[in-house]
Amino acid sequence: MILILILLIASLIFIILELNILTISFLCISFVLMLFCYRKREKITVKEQMIKEYVLTSNVLKMHRISDLVESELLDGIFLISKVFINKLLEIDNKDILNNDYSIENIEYFKRKNMIKEISIEDNISLYFKYAFEHSCTIIITKEKAANNLFKIFKVKSINLEYLNFENNKFKQGKNIHYIITKKDKNKYEGYHTSNVKVFLNSNKKLSYGIKFGKISNVLKIKNETSLLMEDDNDN
């Protein structure tokens, strides 16, 4: 930008001195440099927009194993977590954490995958919403009592995991079902139980395409769409 400014100033001087050829030359160079800088900035902006950022409430971190959602490619991006909440965890004896509290497991997973960003806010649902609103992030919530009122104040994109592990008569954790594998990438497999219920499986076995029989390890229901995570115990 400094070089462009110098070229523009020089062009003005050449206009005053009536050096038309030099004026046109410097203006052309300035224009080319400005266009180059604009396109470079545009590429950076597009790249930044492609990376999704999710603000996670402490409830989400405690109650859900987020690695399941990442591994099944339902979520992908950077996960924003309160520094205050992380510091609280470091002060707690691991023995005092309940078996169904996934906080440490989630944070360690994010660090291994380089998918974590610590944010300087208190562990407070209102502040999570405020941060997501101010930084154009998606907030992930679950069983947050104040969420409905906060949505009226902060217009933010959200994902509600309240029905993660939702059990009904049709799909239950531990239930055996038939499904069809239609896609595989290394040790990741995808398929369908029915036309509107997608199935995900991580397996080191070399599974072939076609009909499989296996056990449901998790039932995911996001935005009224049901997906199933399968255990690696298939009968071929």
Side-chain angles (χ1 to χ4, degrees):
M1 292 300 292
I2 296 174
L3 178 59
I4 294 173
L5 183 61
I6 293 172
L7 290 171
L8 290 173
I9 293 171
S11 299
L12 290 173
I13 294 171
F14 292 145
I15 290 173
I16 295 170
L17 298 175
E18 297 183 351
L19 300 173
N20 296 332
I21 296 176
L22 286 174
T23 300
I24 294 171
S25 299
F26 273 56
L27 286 174
C28 289
I29 294 171
S30 300
F31 176 77
V32 171
L33 287 174
M34 289 173 67
L35 186 63
F36 174 77
C37 291
Y38 173 77
R39 288 186 175 179
K40 185 177 181 181
R41 178 58 191 165
E42 191 177 46
K43 287 181 180 179
I44 293 172
T45 302
V46 171
K47 187 176 180 181
E48 288 173 348
Q49 289 176 347
M50 289 174 63
I51 301 175
K52 295 180 181 178
E53 291 190 332
Y54 301 96
V55 176
L56 300 185
T57 68
S58 53
N59 264 19
V60 169
L61 288 165
K62 292 174 184 177
M63 300 175 66
H64 301 288
R65 185 180 281 114
I66 308 300
S67 59
D68 287 345
L69 299 175
V70 175
E71 295 297 334
S72 60
E73 299 181 354
L74 294 176
L75 289 178
D76 181 38
I78 301 297
F79 296 90
L80 282 56
I81 302 172
S82 164
K83 286 184 179 180
V84 174
F85 178 72
I86 293 176
N87 290 336
K88 284 181 183 177
L89 285 178
L90 297 176
E91 294 171 0
I92 298 174
D93 188 336
N94 290 345
K95 294 179 182 178
D96 294 332
I97 297 178
L98 299 176
N99 292 330
N100 63 344
D101 188 325
Y102 300 118
S103 302
I104 291 178
E105 179 184 335
N106 283 326
I107 291 170
E108 288 180 348
Y109 175 82
F110 293 144
K111 286 182 177 179
R112 288 199 307 273
K113 297 291 184 177
N114 197 28
M115 301 172 72
I116 188 173
K117 179 180 176 182
E118 297 182 14
I119 53 178
S120 299
I121 62 171
E122 294 291 329
D123 177 22
N124 179 284
I125 183 63
S126 299
L127 295 179
Y128 287 127
F129 268 82
K130 184 174 183 290
Y131 186 95
F133 174 76
E134 292 178 345
H135 295 82
S136 301
C137 303
T138 298
I139 187 169
I140 301 182
I141 60 174
T142 185
K143 297 182 178 180
E144 309 283 355
K145 294 180 180 179
N148 289 336
N149 291 329
L150 289 169
F151 278 121
K152 297 175 183 177
I153 303 172
F154 303 104
K155 305 299 181 183
V156 295
K157 293 181 180 179
S158 67
I159 297 174
N160 192 341
L161 301 185
E162 184 172 354
Y163 299 104
L164 190 66
N165 297 325
F166 177 82
E167 293 186 353
N168 55 35
N169 293 330
K170 190 171 184 179
F171 302 116
K172 287 187 177 182
Q173 189 174 9
K175 182 178 179 180
N176 288 298
I177 63 167
H178 284 92
Y179 59 98
I180 299 175
I181 288 179
T182 58
K183 181 181 177 181
K184 58 182 177 180
D185 180 15
K186 296 180 181 178
N187 66 330
K188 294 182 178 181
Y189 296 83
E190 295 180 20
Y192 294 89
H193 172 65
T194 64
S195 59
N196 62 340
V197 178
K198 204 164 186 179
V199 169
F200 299 93
L201 169 69
N202 287 339
S203 176
N204 292 321
K205 301 174 184 176
K206 292 184 178 180
L207 302 177
S208 58
Y209 295 106
I211 298 174
K212 304 296 173 186
F213 184 72
K215 186 179 294 183
I216 299 172
S217 67
N218 229 331
V219 181
L220 312 180
K221 191 168 184 179
I222 301 176
K223 294 184 178 179
N224 295 322
E225 292 185 4
T226 301
S227 299
L228 306 176
L229 300 183
M230 306 304 298
E231 289 186 9
D232 186 13
D233 61 350
N234 289 269
D235 295 329
N236 294 304

